[in-house]
Amino acid sequence: MLYFPRWQTVLIWLAVALGIAYAAPNILPQSWFSAMPTWAPKQPMTLGLDLQGGSHILLSLDRDELTEERLVSARDDVRRSLREERIGYTGLAINGQAVQVRVRDSSQLDAAKEALSELTQPVATGVFGSGAVSEFSLSEPEQGILRFSLTEQGIEYRLNSALSQSIEVVSRRVNELGTTEPVIQRQGDDRILVQVPGLQDPERLKEILGQTAKLTFQMVDQSMPAQEAIEGRPPVGTSVMYSTDDPPVPYIIEDRIIVSGENLVDAQASFDQRTNEPVVSFRFDTKGATRFGQATQENVGRLFAIILDGQVISAPQIREPILGGSGQISGNFSVQGANDLAVLLRAGALPATLTVIEERTVGPGLGQDSINAGKIAAMIGAVLVVAFMIIAYGTFGVFAVVALGANIALIIALLSGLGATLTLPGIAGIVLTMGMAVDSNVLVFERIREERANGRSLIQAVDSGFSKALGTIVDANVTTLIAAIILFYLGTGPVRGFAVTLAIGIVTTVFSAYTLTRWLVAQWVKRQRPKELPRAPLNLLPGATSIGFMWLRRMTFTLSAIASIAALALFMTLNMNYGIDFKGGSAIEVQAKQDVADISDIRSRLSELNLGEVQVQEFGNPKDVLIRVQAQGGGEQAEQTVITKVRDELEADYDFRRVEVVGPTVSGELARAGTIAVLVSLFAILIYIWLRFEWQFAVGAILATTHDVVMTIGFFVITGIEFNLSSIAAILTIVGYSLNDTVVVYDRIRENLRRFKKMPMPQLLDLSMNQTLSRTIMTSVTTLLALVALYAFGGEVIRSFTAAMIFGVLIGTYSSIFVAGPLLILFRLRPSGAAAQDAEGNGDEVAVKG
């Protein structure tokens, strides 16, 4: 174990060197890397929106609107086709998800079917694995009645096509804003995820994405006053539409469309040469120019309307034929309004309305504050962990610090190389990894000390320590890795960033602790030829303990059972402080432009907006305020109205640093996904431990971990800390950490079961607990040091996450000793149930008193 061929040494340090090289651009100035060749590492990590600012918006395509529009289109197709073939009909109407018509003359029924056969023709082949797809199916419920029913496959085909088209349109619109590296991707069957980093004006983005931008040019009917049409009935073939003016002006608009936005080839914001007002200049394609020229030539003196999404932008009079295929749209625009309209027209119309169902926006100022807080927390946590390890282990502690530094460099390098996005929870993951990474080194060092205390020579103790610790290190880290993988697949947004960082940290931890640390120790042994293990500057724990943990098992079992039942009872009877992730609503963080925020004034001003329950509280310091608004009853769009009202009310006195909006659809999905994530991770870990150990160990580990989860939920209920997506990440990390601790203890119990076959179980468990006690305490202390630094200096945004983690580490350490071990007695585990029959050493020997 201590012999390293030269090629292994080269590979180890090559990996470390590459890690440092790829991590360097994240620390050193970018100007240093400008002259580097293209293959050299020079790109820093991509920062998440919560660190650099920007907007995360989840859009949902309106399935019902798309279906309704298709039915209306099919109805019009039926009318047109029957009229062209001069087939008499009656009762043409939309009935549910079908278009129905009665053919008057039964002798024309076959001709009608032929004329309308286009509706039932396949629109795609090989879609959804079912061959040809037809949007409509034909049936005859009665003689002479034809019913064209919209098929489920047809709806899915239309939805899929509309979503693809919408992604193209959204991409064009966002790119027109001049933003850098936006992320626009499909999510599920009917959603589009839009992430725009560094965006200064998220409201403008939402306005541009929220408009369908269906542009039409239609004639105005001037045969009667508009007010008379409103009070009575508008002429046949017309509709009343209103202008965008304030107050809106009604117009009678002919339904016939002269030209639509599909015929536009360009649109640019410009200024009217006569009035110097902002306008939008447009240009048609050949077909559009011909139709528009013909319409204006035939209707000189009449008004024609330019209509966008059902509203009249302007209704100018045709003074002379417009034959050049170009023109301009005026309508009391601001400069930005004209620019935005030009963007919409150039990008094209959406096939259906897109609704914002989730929004998370962070201002650049808050993002920089989060980066600074993360750096401070990381540095302080690193200093505390480094100091503790050197004090506890001396020279071995220095080796662990070197390995820890290489470990962090490798994490940052892999995040940079993979193009992963670093989020604020990701920084928390790195800080947490700093604490947990020491665990593998502690396992090795404690095992070496133990082997030396048992009489082995120094070289044998070192070799045996690394060899025996390997299995424990793998088992302990795989359980945490399982939780991280499940968190990645079932999580969303920043939680995924935390999962990626944690998973990478686990992999690099195993490499740095078992490979790099082993190489350092091997070189120390080879060059120094020591006679004894290095002494620690301070002995934090006695060399051996003989605490009777199992004597307390009845008391601890009773206390744990009472506490768990109480936690569940509180959860069932009291309302947990759910965040907007799970109950919907809005969370807005603002910062006073003056010295101190006036919370009572904010509360008073917002209470007049009729938004329902509004919570206003100080958030971190007297200038920052967190506003929570309950979920609105009016659906997804109502949530967006809340943000508009609050922004209009407070924008003059406060800067909006963070906005989160979660609609009812997404909140229900997140709650379900969070519950599934916890359950699936527990089940997956149960299977792993069952395969690696015995069923008693697997069930015991899961019950002990479930105890920790229940206690953590009770902690959230009692403290009133907000329970959100980050809380799910905290619980899953606690699951991994607690299992990590339990597996280390169980691994030692399994080893002692093979060694001391006749020892009574309580005595054997006491022996195993005492043998691993120093490692348990050391690991808990280092992890807590990192977490306390994160809690104190990491910023308010992740404080609740860190508080839950601190509690989880404490309760996880307790359960590994006082719950997981005694459960094996309850399950009647005996030495005969161990996997091996004969192990090294004397099976009847009781060498260590417990």
Side-chain angles (χ1 to χ4, degrees), residues 220-235 239-242 247-253:
V220 177
D221 188 315
Q222 298 172 273
S223 62
M224 63 187 300
Q227 192 61 40
E228 186 178 327
I230 295 171
E231 296 172 354
R233 186 174 181 179
S239 304
V240 176
M241 295 185 183
Y242 291 85
V249 177
Y251 291 92
I252 304 173
I253 306 297

Side-chain angles (χ1 to χ4, degrees), residues 55-57 59 170 174 183-184 192-196 205 209:
S55 286
H56 162 110
I57 294 176
L59 301 164
V170 168
V174 174
V183 175
I184 301 160
I192 302 172
L193 175 64
V194 179
Q195 292 183 331
V196 186
L205 174 66
L209 295 181

